[in-house]
Amino acid sequence: MKNLISQFSKQWKLLPIGNLSITIRSFSMTEKVIFFFFVCIFIITGLSLLTKINARFLVEVPDYGGNITEGVLGTPRFVNPLLATSDADRDLVALIYSGLMKAHPEDGLIPDLAESFTISPDGLTYSFILKEDVRFHDGTKITTDDIEFTISKAKDPILKSPRRGSWDGVNVEKVSDKEIHFVLQQPYAPFLENTTIGILPKHVWEGADTEQFSFSQLNIEPIGSGPYKVNKVKRNSAGIPTNYTLQRFSEYALGKPFIKTINVRFYQNEDELLRAYKQKDIESARGFSARTAHELGGSGIRIETAVLPRIFGVFFNQNQATIFTNPEVRKALSLSLDKEKIVSEILFGYGVAINSPIPIRDNPLSKEPQKTEEERFKEAGDVLLKEGWEKNEDTGIWEYVGKNETLKLSFSIATGDALEIKSAGDLITENWKRFGADVSIEVFETGNLNQNIIRPRKYDALFFGEIVGRDLDLYPFWHSSQRNDPGLNIALYVNSTVDSLVEKARKISDPTLQQEKLAEFEAEIIKD
């Protein structure tokens, strides 16, 4: 021990670096052990320090190149921004076409083909300037002629484009090959969202008359100006597209995409899609049910989620089922329903329980203590009892005995045959039966539901979804003028205060002021 202490207290004088080996050989065995010990400490400490510095200042950036193969449910039929209706169509349209503006996940709406835009002080005129030398995939330069052509086709009543409603009443004024104006009849703050519509190349589409538009081969082998162009389309024996190979478009207005090639493969059902993923025929997939996503996530597979601007709810039709004209009935049904159970058991957590017709990111219900079924039924029952309702001892159904008639809490719910929708509808029905409602569920094929039930408003209550959109324009869903088809007010709701609020909200461009109007709207809806 004394020898070791003396070594540490000893003054060492090293020879020049060139004679390091001579110096080390001059050490005693103890000195050599101490020397190499500290050398190791120095190396380990240095490497650790360099690693931390590297981690602090190193920034990961994407690199150019690589391929990806993705699976999608469905079959593309209209790879056309004016006709796309299915998810398969819309996925390809988003990759192949570009518009004046583009939706960005962090920055909202950003210019795409547009160099710049201005909005007149009265909110009626939107002026756009195109970027220099923007081109379609075939090399043809994009001009305002292409934009004017696209909008005129969108407005054509014979074509019946799903985008027609966005452009009705909008006048298009071409100023030059680079400048174009859109003139509105009244202010409409969410109008910029409309300008994300993909632009068609006039020079390849102008030969197709409106009647033949939907039959054009260009709907399957499109030419756009988006980040990717069609390189190859693979079809099955029936001529139906099963695989698209997309090549990046180096002259894309927002710059060359990073991924070189995207292969999109289409599958007819979830079982086929899941099998392809497990067999590694595809690297990623979208469109799985909540149950499948939950099972895949539980096995360690990475699941990406996004909050969608849509809601699902039970909409009461007071015109057909007068029972819903009673506020206490609407309130009792709302209070008695276990929404969190739907989210956990049907959606496996891939959803949010809300008390509002406005899609939100935070879950307000999670901040409240969760009530038991007994507590919910007691609170809802008190609402009915206060207004003179009583539970029939023989049937267990809530009834209101009036002078001329006896009202019974009885109604049916119409919904679609999609698995999750039907399962949630069954859970809602059973929930309200236990509460004391005589309720039944009627399940329809989606097309039949839309055409024969929703459009003529032939339902007591409707369990359905609404895609509200990023712009939160609630006018189509809640304004009284939209009660009848093709309006989307499926609750046939009438409230003059709400009419005024949604009219004002869609004219306000200031986000803060718009949110104030939406908050007033929300309070009015909740009150009803």
Side-chain angles (χ1 to χ4, degrees):
M1 177 64 71
K2 290 182 179 179
N3 186 46
L4 184 62
I5 293 173
S6 66
Q7 294 295 335
F8 276 106
S9 60
K10 183 178 178 181
Q11 289 187 349
W12 294 1
K13 294 182 180 180
L14 300 180
L15 294 174
I17 191 68
N19 297 322
L20 182 59
S21 60
I22 299 175
T23 303
I24 294 174
R25 283 198 299 271
S26 68
F27 288 167
S28 67
M29 181 56 67
T30 303
E31 290 172 333
K32 287 180 180 179
V33 170
I34 295 173
F35 175 78
F36 285 113
F37 172 77
F38 280 106
V39 167
C40 291
I41 293 295
F42 175 78
I43 292 173
I44 293 171
T45 304
L47 289 175
S48 176
L49 183 61
L50 287 174
T51 301
K52 290 182 179 181
I53 293 174
N54 184 63
R56 180 178 293 272
F57 294 102
L58 186 66
V59 178
E60 287 188 349
V61 295
D63 195 6
Y64 289 98
N67 309 311
I68 188 170
T69 302
E70 178 162 335
V72 175
L73 279 177
T75 300
R77 183 183 176 193
F78 297 116
V79 188
N80 182 325
L82 303 186
L83 300 175
T85 54
S86 69
D87 286 342
D89 291 337
R90 286 188 286 263
D91 285 351
L92 290 176
V93 164
L95 292 168
I96 295 168
Y97 287 93
S98 57
L100 289 167
M101 301 291 287
K102 181 183 181 68
H104 189 276
E106 283 89 34
D107 301 326
L109 294 178
I110 61 173
D112 192 345
L113 294 176
E115 176 68 36
S116 62
F117 69 92
T118 57
I119 306 173
S120 62
D122 60 7
L124 295 178
T125 303
Y126 289 70
S127 304
F128 287 84
I129 305 292
L130 286 179
K131 289 177 179 174
E132 286 286 349
D133 206 31
V134 283
R135 296 182 179 274
F136 288 109
H137 296 154
D138 63 359
T140 305
K141 188 172 182 178
I142 302 172
T143 71
T144 51
D145 285 335
D146 300 295
I147 298 167
E148 187 177 40
F149 173 81
T150 300
I151 304 308
S152 69
K153 285 296 182 182
K155 295 166 66 174
D156 190 332
I158 299 177
L159 188 61
K160 296 180 181 179
S161 168
R163 304 299 292 269
R164 180 186 172 191
S166 302
W167 293 96
D168 269 346
V170 178
N171 291 324
V172 181
E173 298 179 355
K174 174 187 171 182
V175 179
S176 68
D177 284 348
K178 285 189 59 180
E179 184 175 359
I180 194 166
H181 296 173
F182 302 115
V183 182
L184 283 58
Q185 295 177 349
Q186 59 182 1
Y188 178 57
F191 177 75
L192 272 183
E193 182 81 24
N194 296 358
T195 62
T196 60
I197 187 171
I199 302 303
L200 297 175
K202 179 181 178 180
H203 66 283
V204 299
W205 275 102
E206 60 183 343
D209 57 39
T210 304
E211 288 77 7
Q212 297 299 315
F213 211 79
S214 59
F215 300 103
S216 174
Q217 188 63 21
L218 289 166
N219 289 312
I220 300 299
E221 298 179 1
I223 297 173
S225 56
Y228 288 88
K229 58 184 179 180
V230 177
N231 183 46
K232 183 180 179 181
V233 181
K234 185 178 179 180
R235 295 174 169 83
N236 60 18
S237 58
I240 299 173
T242 59
N243 181 43
Y244 273 74
T245 301
L246 305 179
Q247 203 75 20
R248 69 180 172 201
F249 183 45
S250 298
E251 297 181 67
Y252 174 47
L254 292 179
K256 183 174 73 171
F258 288 103
I259 299 174
K260 182 180 180 181
T261 305
I262 299 180
N263 293 298
V264 186
R265 296 181 180 177
F266 299 95
Y267 299 88
Q268 295 306 303
N269 54 63
E270 187 177 283
D271 290 339
E272 290 183 8
L273 181 63
L274 183 59
R275 189 181 307 113
Y277 181 77
K278 289 183 175 180
Q279 292 176 349
K280 301 188 183 304
D281 293 334
I282 54 177
E283 298 167 86
S284 63
R286 64 167 293 266
F288 285 127
S289 65
R291 177 184 292 276
T292 302
H294 175 72
E295 292 172 353
L296 290 173
S299 64
I301 291 172
R302 174 179 166 184
I303 305 294
E304 291 288 341
T305 63
V307 178
L308 301 178
R310 67 181 185 181
I311 66 166
F312 288 85
V314 180
F315 299 89
F316 303 138
N317 183 355
Q318 300 179 31
N319 288 8
Q320 180 152 315
T322 56
I323 189 79
F324 296 130
T325 60
N326 299 284
E328 69 273 14
V329 169
R330 302 193 299 268
K331 185 172 183 179
L333 290 173
S334 180
L335 288 171
S336 63
L337 183 60
D338 189 350
K339 301 176 185 179
E340 290 289 357
K341 189 174 182 180
I342 299 173
V343 170
S344 61
E345 293 189 8
I346 307 299
L347 301 179
F348 296 90
Y350 295 113
V352 177
I354 60 175
N355 281 325
S356 165
I358 304 176
I360 53 175
R361 292 182 178 274
D362 297 322
N363 182 355
L365 299 185
S366 64
K367 300 172 185 176
E368 303 173 2
Q370 294 302 307
K371 297 176 181 177
T372 64
E373 182 172 282
E374 183 180 356
E375 291 171 332
R376 286 185 287 102
F377 286 3
K378 171 68 167 57
E379 186 177 0
D382 288 345
V383 171
L384 293 178
L385 289 169
K386 184 179 179 181
E387 298 301 324
W389 289 74
E390 293 182 356
K391 229 177 190 182
N392 186 301
E393 293 182 0
D394 296 327
T395 64
I397 304 300
W398 286 96
E399 294 179 349
Y400 178 85
V401 180
K403 293 181 179 179
N404 300 320
E405 63 175 340
T406 298
L407 296 178
K408 193 161 88 168
L409 188 52
S410 176
F411 58 94
S412 63
I413 303 174
T415 194
D417 61 354
L419 179 60
E420 289 171 352
I421 296 292
K422 182 182 179 300
S423 299
D426 288 338
L427 193 151
I428 292 169
T429 301
E430 292 304 317
N431 185 134
W432 280 340
K433 279 183 177 180
R434 291 194 302 275
F435 170 63
D438 176 21
V439 56
S440 60
I441 188 167
E442 300 174 346
V443 180
F444 299 89
E445 183 273 327
T446 303
N448 185 25
L449 178 70
N450 286 325
Q451 292 298 320
N452 301 318
I453 305 299
I454 297 178
R455 295 188 69 177
R457 308 301 198 243
K458 291 183 178 179
Y459 48 85
D460 293 347
L462 175 69
F463 179 49
F464 203 61
E466 293 180 343
I467 301 176
V468 179
R470 289 184 296 267
D471 52 31
L472 292 182
D473 180 17
L474 298 166
Y475 182 97
F477 305 101
W478 295 98
H479 195 277
S480 60
S481 67
Q482 304 299 303
R483 297 193 310 279
N484 299 317
D485 183 69
L488 301 176
N489 184 350
I490 52 179
L492 284 77
Y493 183 70
V494 178
N495 182 314
S496 59
T497 301
V498 164
D499 283 354
S500 176
L501 289 170
V502 294
E503 287 170 6
K504 291 176 181 177
R506 68 182 346 211
K507 296 178 182 179
I508 298 172
S509 56
D510 185 312
T512 303
L513 295 178
Q514 186 189 54
Q515 287 301 318
E516 290 176 3
K517 293 300 177 188
L518 291 178
E520 293 179 46
F521 157 82
E522 184 178 53
E524 194 70 20
I525 292 287
I526 291 174
K527 185 178 72 175
D528 279 341

